[in-house]
């Protein structure tokens, strides 16, 4: 299945640079700290996570369905400290054998997959028993007022303008429902200053394949 969002890809590539300057780079570093072995990064975007992988990682398979973003991942791969292979693929059908990955990394991708449950089952399939799921996502708000704003955004223009992104998903609950045990979880607002927007509630954490 082809996935093409040319306008969003251009905007996202520029916005991700600004996000990193505002503090997202530190979140990306925390996301992959301590990983070892073979890693599958699902929805690798424009490759902003790649410089942060530690040398204990023996290889990263960066899966990205959007062709313009995938080209940017390929351009970023030589600057990583670890071997990186870039592949086309969907979160719901990863080009990876069963139980062959030591870790799966999900970074700002579970907001936009058509079906979180299917994508997370696929992540669980490719992980070895005891393998880690690392996730960095924006999620449903904990406050009623912001949850209402998220539902309004999701019911109107937000998904159309942001390549299918939804702001009100309870991603942590979905991870647990897919057969993972969440062992680390940090909730925060990003960006940390200014009025909270629909995509400002974030989580960063680690889950283990049960």
């Amino acid at each position: 299945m082809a996935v093409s969002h040319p306008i969003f890809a251009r905007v996202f590539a520029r916005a991700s640079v600004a996000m990193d300057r505002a503090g997202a780079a530190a979140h990306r570093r925390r996301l992959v700290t301590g990983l070892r072995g073979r890693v599958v990064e699902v929805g690798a975007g424009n490759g902003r996570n790649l410089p942060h992988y530690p040398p204990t990682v023996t290889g990263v398979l960066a899966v990205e369905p959007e062709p313009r973003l995938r080209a940017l991942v390929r351009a970023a791969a030589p600057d990583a400290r670890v071997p990186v292979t870039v592949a086309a693929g969907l979160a719901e059908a990863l080009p990876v054998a069963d139980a062959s990955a030591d870790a799966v990394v999900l970074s700002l991708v579970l907001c936009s997959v058509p079906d979180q449950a299917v994508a997370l089952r696929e992540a669980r399939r490719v992980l070895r028993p005891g393998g880690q799921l690392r996730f960095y996502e924006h999620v449903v708000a904990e406050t009623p007022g912001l949850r209402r704003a998220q539902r309004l955004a999701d019911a109107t223009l937000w998904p159309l303008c942001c390549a299918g992104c939804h702001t009100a998903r309870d991603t942590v609950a979905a991870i647990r429902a897919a057969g993972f045990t969440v062992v680390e979880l940090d909730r925060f607002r990003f960006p940390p200053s200014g009025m909270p927007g629909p995509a400002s509630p974030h989580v960063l954490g680690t889950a283990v394949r049960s």
Side-chain angles (χ1 to χ4, degrees):
M1 177 181 176
V3 174
S4 180
H5 300 290
I7 296 174
F8 174 78
R10 292 191 197 98
V11 172
F12 178 81
R14 293 173 183 169
S16 64
V17 176
M19 288 167 57
D20 280 4
R21 289 173 181 160
H27 301 154
R28 298 182 193 279
R29 190 160 47 250
R30 288 174 56 200
L31 175 68
V32 301
T33 292
L35 288 179
R36 295 176 176 273
R38 187 182 184 208
V39 176
V40 177
E41 182 173 339
V42 182
N46 56 336
R48 300 297 293 185
N49 291 332
L50 297 184
H52 302 292
Y53 280 100
T56 47
V57 169
T58 57
V60 175
L61 176 64
V63 180
E64 174 53 52
E66 213 291 324
R68 289 157 187 84
L69 293 176
R70 192 164 61 249
L72 293 175
V73 180
R74 286 201 175 97
D79 294 328
R81 294 180 292 171
V82 302
V84 177
T85 303
V86 181
L90 300 174
E92 299 89 341
L94 295 173
V96 183
D98 293 358
S100 61
D102 297 293
V104 170
V105 171
L106 296 165
S107 175
L108 303 177
V109 66
L110 287 174
C111 58
S112 60
V113 295
D115 191 320
Q116 280 191 329
V118 173
L120 286 165
R121 282 200 301 269
E122 186 69 351
R124 190 176 187 278
R125 176 187 69 79
V126 305
L127 272 174
R128 63 169 176 78
Q132 291 189 358
L133 181 77
R134 298 286 186 96
F135 55 94
Y136 169 41
E137 301 283 346
H138 67 81
V139 295
V140 66
E142 295 186 285
T143 57
L146 188 51
R147 280 200 300 271
R148 284 193 294 271
Q150 289 177 323
R151 288 195 293 270
L152 178 62
D154 289 354
T156 52
L157 292 177
W158 192 283
L160 181 64
C161 295
C162 299
C165 172
H166 291 76
T167 64
R169 289 182 170 178
D170 191 346
T171 298
V172 176
I175 290 170
R176 290 184 170 122
F180 292 95
T181 300
V182 176
V183 295
E184 293 182 21
L185 182 64
D186 183 18
R187 293 184 182 269
F188 55 93
R189 192 178 82 190
F190 182 79
S193 59
M195 289 290 291
S200 59
H202 280 61
V203 292
L204 197 158
T206 300
V208 176
R209 176 182 165 177
S210 302

